[in-house]
Amino acid sequence: MAVKGVSEHCDLLLVVGSQNSSNSKRLVEVGDNFGVRSYLVNDKRDIDTAWLERRQERGGDRGASAPEYLVQELVEFLRDRDSMIWKR
């Protein structure tokens, strides 16, 4: 439900989680299904800065097992770049 809510307000969704996490992959699918370009990243190093170009609002979520410190690093990275929406 959180991804659905965020998807209404953003044009890019980043999900923090492992590539082998079915939960994290599902969050990306939900974003994609709502027409939001969505990516699964392990941490901020996985972000391709080209994804951020021409994006007005960035949103995010995390898989159930993603550690909080990775989420905070990603939030700080994006705050440094521009405004964003974050749910969870």
Side-chain angles (χ1 to χ4, degrees):
M1 294 306 290
V3 169
K4 181 180 176 182
V6 169
S7 295
E8 295 174 6
H9 304 285
C10 67
D11 54 6
L12 173 71
L13 177 69
L14 299 175
V15 175
V16 179
S18 173
Q19 296 294 329
N20 62 2
S21 166
S22 58
N23 171 260
S24 297
K25 288 180 181 179
R26 180 68 183 131
L27 295 173
V28 171
E29 287 176 18
V30 170
D32 285 338
N33 288 340
F34 279 91
V36 178
R37 189 169 298 242
S38 304
Y39 298 97
L40 179 58
V41 297
N42 285 314
D43 57 39
K44 67 182 182 181
R45 294 174 294 181
D46 286 345
I47 297 173
D48 181 340
T49 55
W51 300 343
L52 306 176
E53 294 176 11
R54 294 185 302 258
R55 300 288 172 213
Q56 297 262 318
E57 297 291 335
R58 296 159 185 109
D61 204 343
R62 66 180 180 147
S65 61
E68 181 63 26
Y69 79 92
L70 291 178
V71 174
Q72 291 306 315
E73 285 180 358
L74 181 65
V75 169
E76 287 180 34
F77 173 80
L78 294 172
R79 276 191 187 142
D80 288 344
R81 294 199 48 91
D82 218 323
S83 65
M84 67 169 285
I85 299 169
W86 191 267
K87 279 280 194 184
R88 205 167 222 184

